[in-house]
């Protein structure tokens, strides 16, 4: 185990040197007889990442910690983010991503040594139940107060994951967390990325944290952030802008966000929806029925139709945002399909598959 951890650290350190941030070893790789890692298939090339998408350089341990405002700080490993408040009585941490892991403790120690405040994490806020954002919660022991939405508690009871201990304090709509002279406003605005994803607002620091909705400088992760409630996820963009924040913590990638970042992503999502509606109205399914009906292959008809609708949705959006938002050519097609399906299933925009005429 010790050798394995050492190898992983060496890999991440080497990756941090070769690209801004760090790199992950893809699941689709295989090892040759010589020990070199070879891709299972030929890997595609993508457009360069705009320099504005990158955040600050990581340190030798593979993380960056910086002040947001006053006693509020953030931590990133260029893939995930957390934030924390140093207070007179201890630290309030929001999320514990496992890829940052014990570096959260190093970052907190670094900051509290400098500002003379206690380093012990006394409170841990879960933004939602997903393991990739709170899977290191177990390293903070049993005595920490864990605060989360009621739905998060329900999800974690089902998960039964020792790395994600159950919350000790839950709320329904709103909860004000006050610790050592600092304050966080926790609010639930309905399902978006997940059924339980909350908004964490630090009013004195004009900072809002909402995870897996906004991705400053980048297009959303695959499938519109791999979200469960697409309509709610889209609506969350408007809810985010109702808060009077100046700094945004999105939970992913290597930099903080601005209101201009939020406006840009909202436009990207709006453009996807507009293109998807046009595709649903414009793609004629007749050729796919003619090709596959004789075989009785209903799924082939739908697959070919949706592939063409996805292509028509994605192409103009990729063209508009390549060089503007990082990875526009990576995930837009997947997100175009997700948008199409949401418009069809959630919004009833069925295109040629609407109510059959009499």
């Amino acid at each position: 185990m010790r050798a394995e951890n050492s190898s992983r650290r060496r890999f991440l350190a080497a990756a941090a040197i070769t690209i801004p941030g760090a790199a992950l070893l893809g699941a689709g790789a295989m090892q040759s007889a010589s020990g070199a890692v070879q891709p299972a298939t030929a890997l595609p090339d993508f457009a360069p990442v705009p320099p504005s998408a990158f955040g600050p350089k990581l340190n030798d341990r593979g993380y960056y910690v910086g002040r947001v405002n006053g006693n509020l700080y953030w931590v990133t490993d260029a893939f995930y983010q957390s934030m924390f408040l140093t207070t007179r009585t201890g630290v309030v941490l929001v999320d514990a991503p496992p890829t940052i892991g014990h570096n959260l403790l190093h970052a907190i120690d670094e900051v509290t040594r400098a500002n003379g405040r206690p380093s012990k994490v006394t409170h841990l806020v879960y933004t939602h139940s997903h393991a990739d954002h709170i899977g290191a919660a177990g390293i903070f022991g049993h005595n920490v107060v864990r605060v989360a939405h009621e739905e998060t508690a329900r999800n974690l009871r089902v998960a039964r994951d020792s790395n994600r201990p159950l919350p000790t304090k839950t709320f329904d709509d709103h909860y004000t967390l006050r610790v050592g002279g600092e304050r966080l406003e926790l609010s639930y605005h309905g399902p978006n990325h997940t059924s339980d994803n909350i908004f964490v607002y630090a009013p004195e620091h004009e900072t809002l944290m909402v995870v897996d909705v906004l991705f400053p400088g980048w297009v959303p992760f695959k499938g519109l952030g791999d979200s469960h409630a697409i309509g709610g996820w889209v609506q969350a963009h408007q809810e985010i802008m109702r808060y009077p924040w100046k700094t945004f913590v999105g939970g992913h990638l290597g930099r903080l966000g601005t209101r201009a970042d939020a406006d840009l992503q909202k436009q990207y999502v709006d453009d996807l929806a507009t293109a998807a509606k046009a595709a649903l109205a414009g793609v004629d399914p007749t050729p796919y029925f003619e090709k596959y009906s004789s075989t009785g292959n209903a799924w082939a008809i739908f697959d070919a139709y949706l592939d063409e609708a996805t292509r028509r949705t994605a192409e103009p959006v990729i063209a508009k945002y390549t060089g503007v938002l990082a990875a526009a050519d990576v995930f837009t097609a997947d997100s175009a399909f997700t948008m199409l399906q949401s418009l069809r299933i959630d919004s009833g925009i069925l295109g040629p598959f609407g109510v059959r005429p009499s």
Side-chain angles (χ1 to χ4, degrees), residues 317-343:
V317 180
I318 292 172
K320 179 176 179 179
Y321 289 96
T322 296
V324 178
L325 286 174
D329 57 337
V330 178
F331 281 149
T332 296
D334 294 290
S335 290
F337 174 77
T338 300
M339 180 65 78
L340 281 166
Q341 287 296 81
S342 178
L343 290 174

Side-chain angles (χ1 to χ4, degrees), residues 4 161 173:
E4 178 182 329
D161 181 2
D173 295 322

Side-chain angles (χ1 to χ4, degrees), residues 117-200:
R117 292 203 155 193
S119 63
K120 180 177 176 56
V121 175
T122 59
H123 293 73
L124 175 56
V125 176
Y126 292 166
T127 60
H128 63 299
S129 58
H130 279 175
D132 63 325
H133 288 279
I134 64 168
I139 71 177
F140 297 98
H142 299 291
N143 295 326
V144 66
V145 177
R146 295 179 294 274
V147 185
H149 188 262
E150 292 176 352
E151 182 70 10
T152 300
R154 283 190 284 270
N155 292 341
L156 292 179
R157 288 190 195 102
V158 173
R160 299 173 63 87
D161 181 2
S162 60
N163 293 316
R164 292 175 284 166
L166 292 176
T168 57
K169 172 67 181 179
T170 61
F171 68 96
D172 185 9
D173 295 322
H174 184 84
Y175 180 70
T176 300
L177 177 61
R178 298 180 187 274
V179 180
E182 296 287 347
R183 171 171 63 120
L184 290 177
E185 300 290 345
L186 314 181
S187 299
Y188 179 68
H189 296 283
N192 48 75
H193 168 63
T194 58
S195 62
D196 60 332
N197 202 27
I198 64 170
F199 289 47
V200 181

Side-chain angles (χ1 to χ4, degrees), residues 129-333:
S129 58
H130 279 175
D132 63 325
H133 288 279
I134 64 168
I139 71 177
F140 297 98
H142 299 291
N143 295 326
V144 66
V145 177
R146 295 179 294 274
V147 185
H149 188 262
E150 292 176 352
E151 182 70 10
T152 300
R154 283 190 284 270
N155 292 341
L156 292 179
R157 288 190 195 102
V158 173
R160 299 173 63 87
D161 181 2
S162 60
N163 293 316
R164 292 175 284 166
L166 292 176
T168 57
K169 172 67 181 179
T170 61
F171 68 96
D172 185 9
D173 295 322
H174 184 84
Y175 180 70
T176 300
L177 177 61
R178 298 180 187 274
V179 180
E182 296 287 347
R183 171 171 63 120
L184 290 177
E185 300 290 345
L186 314 181
S187 299
Y188 179 68
H189 296 283
N192 48 75
H193 168 63
T194 58
S195 62
D196 60 332
N197 202 27
I198 64 170
F199 289 47
V200 181
Y201 182 50
E204 286 81 10
H205 307 290
E206 299 178 294
T207 298
L208 178 66
M209 182 171 180
V210 184
V211 172
D212 286 319
V213 176
L214 291 180
F215 300 79
W218 297 71
V219 299
F221 186 76
K222 189 172 186 173
L224 297 178
D226 198 21
S227 297
H228 298 181
I230 299 303
W233 184 86
V234 172
Q235 179 62 35
H237 289 70
Q238 299 179 32
E239 194 64 46
I240 284 169
M241 297 307 284
R242 292 190 182 103
Y243 282 75
W245 55 270
K246 292 183 179 179
T247 303
F248 186 83
V249 183
H252 276 288
L253 302 164
R255 73 169 176 85
L256 299 172
T258 66
R259 296 189 78 86
D261 291 320
D263 287 334
L264 182 58
Q265 184 176 303
K266 186 177 183 302
Q267 185 61 57
Y268 171 87
V269 173
D270 289 345
D271 286 345
L272 264 182
T274 298
K277 290 173 185 176
L280 289 170
V283 176
D284 180 5
T286 303
Y288 315 121
F289 277 97
E290 291 176 345
K291 172 71 174 177
Y292 300 113
S293 286
S294 61
T295 66
N297 195 337
W299 272 184
I301 295 169
F302 267 92
D303 184 58
Y305 168 79
L306 289 172
D307 279 353
E308 177 60 16
T310 297
R311 184 188 68 79
R312 291 199 197 182
T313 300
E315 281 187 351
V317 180
I318 292 172
K320 179 176 179 179
Y321 289 96
T322 296
V324 178
L325 286 174
D329 57 337
V330 178
F331 281 149
T332 296

Side-chain angles (χ1 to χ4, degrees), residues 73-87:
Y73 298 83
W74 71 296
V75 189
T76 182
D77 62 355
F79 286 98
Y80 285 85
Q81 298 173 0
S82 175
M83 74 176 186
F84 62 92
L85 275 166
T86 62
T87 82

